[in-house]
Amino acid sequence: MQQIFEIAYANLLSPMVLFFLIGIIAVLVNSDLKVPTAFYTGYTMIILFTIGIKGGVELRNVSLLEMLPAIFAAVFLSLAMLFITYFLVCKLWKFSIEESWAISAHYGSVSAVTFIAGLAFLDKIEITYESYMSAILVIMEGPAIILAIILYKFYIQKQGEKTNNPNASLKHVVKEAFFGKSIFLLLGGIFIGFVAHADGLLLIKPLFGDLFYGILCIFLLHMGMIATQSLKQIEKLTPFSFLFAFILPLIGGSLGIFIGQFIGLSLGGAFILAVLTGSASYIAAPAAIAQAIPKANSGIYLGSALGLTLPFNLILGIPYYYWIATLYY
């Protein structure tokens, strides 16, 4: 137990976590600090492109056969978290059907920022991991979102309800989940990193490489502000209401370590799989859910994923997943 506290303390002092905490404090003290929308859009693109380019470069040295166990594990874990989340929030927390499927879609999907924080953590302690994990991030982003919305549509059809929302069509849902901004930029970056000449990649390295962690810190400052604002907007917030936002990461992280070790991933690879499984989407999932399940309260699914699970993972979850991984390896 002393080891996990030491790891958590070291992680707490990382610049990324400190920037996130400053964002939280800015909202709590009613600071007039603001991040321009255009700037936010720009650095989000840089962050996602950088992750994809790095993954694409690494994929040049990996065969599809080598990746297959991790691909199957990623899809399994994504769907497992979808149904585990639905059971907990619907049966135990008694959320409505709409909100249960909305929350489940977020926790079945993954967070790119938590993934980056996990990579930074491994780099800091000099632990290696499988080079194709960026591709696993992309694979885990969409399936749970799509399935959650399909199952919700089956439910409303069974209830005899009809929707007049043209954006709620299955075609639109698939587009948002698999070709929305976040996953499209990740896939685009992977393609560029995989096919571009090495000389060309060196030319873009100053922006999509050297500045990456500095830009990420500003992004996390903004995320800290948005997360706190989301929580402040939720009415009747009690300690029990959102306890699932801390339980689900622990379940997902533990499953990720177990499955990662079972399929033969390295300690670092199993840790990253745990980080992904224990995270929750707040970019791709909200975009799709807002259109397909408009009755769901966005404050609940965004407040839990972004306002509670993200900071929990950044501060405590990542050290916990690493500690669990060391017990298996």
Side-chain angles (χ1 to χ4, degrees), residues 2-327:
Q2 181 180 357
Q3 183 186 16
I4 190 173
F5 281 118
E6 290 174 353
I7 297 171
Y9 177 72
N11 189 58
L12 184 62
L13 296 181
S14 70
M16 290 186 296
V17 174
L18 294 174
F19 270 85
F20 188 86
L21 292 175
I22 290 173
I24 293 174
I25 294 169
V27 174
L28 294 178
V29 300
N30 294 318
S31 170
D32 61 354
L33 176 65
K34 286 182 172 51
V35 177
T37 302
F39 186 43
Y40 167 74
T41 302
Y43 59 58
T44 301
M45 291 176 66
I46 293 172
I47 289 169
L48 293 171
F49 258 137
T50 304
I51 300 170
I53 290 170
K54 181 179 179 181
V57 170
E58 298 293 345
L59 282 176
R60 298 182 184 191
N61 303 315
V62 180
S63 68
L64 178 62
L65 189 62
E66 184 181 344
M67 286 181 59
L68 277 180
I71 291 173
F72 287 127
V75 174
F76 168 78
L77 287 168
S78 179
L79 298 182
M81 286 305 297
L82 170 73
F83 289 110
I84 290 171
T85 302
Y86 182 80
F87 174 80
L88 286 178
V89 298
C90 185
K91 305 302 181 183
L92 299 184
W93 267 265
K94 305 297 182 183
F95 281 100
S96 68
I97 297 296
E98 290 81 6
E99 286 163 356
S100 295
W101 282 123
I103 295 168
S104 300
H106 286 69
Y107 284 85
S109 187
V110 293
S111 162
V113 171
T114 311
F115 171 78
I116 299 165
L119 295 185
F121 179 83
L122 290 184
D123 290 341
K124 182 179 179 181
I125 60 177
E126 300 181 344
I127 299 292
T128 59
Y129 53 90
E130 282 72 12
S131 59
Y132 51 75
M133 296 310 293
S134 293
I136 299 303
L137 163 68
V138 176
I139 290 166
M140 293 183 75
E141 184 114 41
I145 300 174
I146 293 293
L147 185 57
I149 293 171
I150 289 173
L151 291 174
Y152 170 71
K153 285 185 175 296
F154 281 144
Y155 165 77
I156 61 174
Q157 288 174 2
K158 186 177 180 181
Q159 298 298 313
E161 297 179 14
K162 293 183 179 179
T163 177
N164 295 319
N165 182 6
N167 290 327
S169 68
L170 186 58
K171 180 180 178 181
H172 183 84
V173 169
V174 171
K175 180 182 176 182
E176 282 293 332
F178 285 105
F179 298 103
K181 179 179 71 173
S182 60
I183 198 163
F184 185 79
L185 291 173
L186 285 168
L187 287 171
I190 288 175
F191 174 75
I192 292 169
F194 188 73
V195 305
H197 294 299
D199 293 341
L201 291 174
L202 283 176
L203 293 176
I204 63 173
K205 187 175 181 291
L207 180 59
F208 298 101
D210 296 342
L211 295 178
F212 175 67
Y213 283 106
I215 293 172
L216 179 62
C217 286
I218 300 298
F219 177 79
L220 285 169
L221 170 72
H222 193 198
M223 286 298 98
M225 295 167 63
I226 294 176
T228 310
Q229 289 165 352
S230 298
L231 286 177
K232 290 178 70 175
Q233 293 172 0
I234 299 175
E235 298 178 356
K236 299 179 182 179
L237 178 64
T238 66
F240 178 76
S241 299
F242 291 90
L243 192 60
F244 69 86
F246 307 113
I247 293 175
L248 288 168
L250 299 179
I251 295 173
S254 300
L255 276 174
I257 294 294
F258 174 76
I259 296 296
Q261 196 269 343
F262 178 77
I263 65 174
L265 292 179
S266 65
L267 185 151
F271 165 80
I272 292 299
L273 191 61
V275 168
L276 288 170
T277 312
S279 69
S281 171
Y282 56 84
I283 298 176
I289 293 300
Q291 300 293 340
I293 314 180
K295 291 183 180 180
N297 186 337
S298 62
I300 293 176
Y301 58 72
L302 194 57
S304 58
L306 178 58
L308 297 173
T309 299
L310 177 62
F312 172 80
N313 274 327
L314 291 177
I315 298 168
L316 295 175
I318 286 174
Y320 171 78
Y321 306 146
Y322 180 74
W323 176 69
I324 291 293
T326 61
L327 300 181

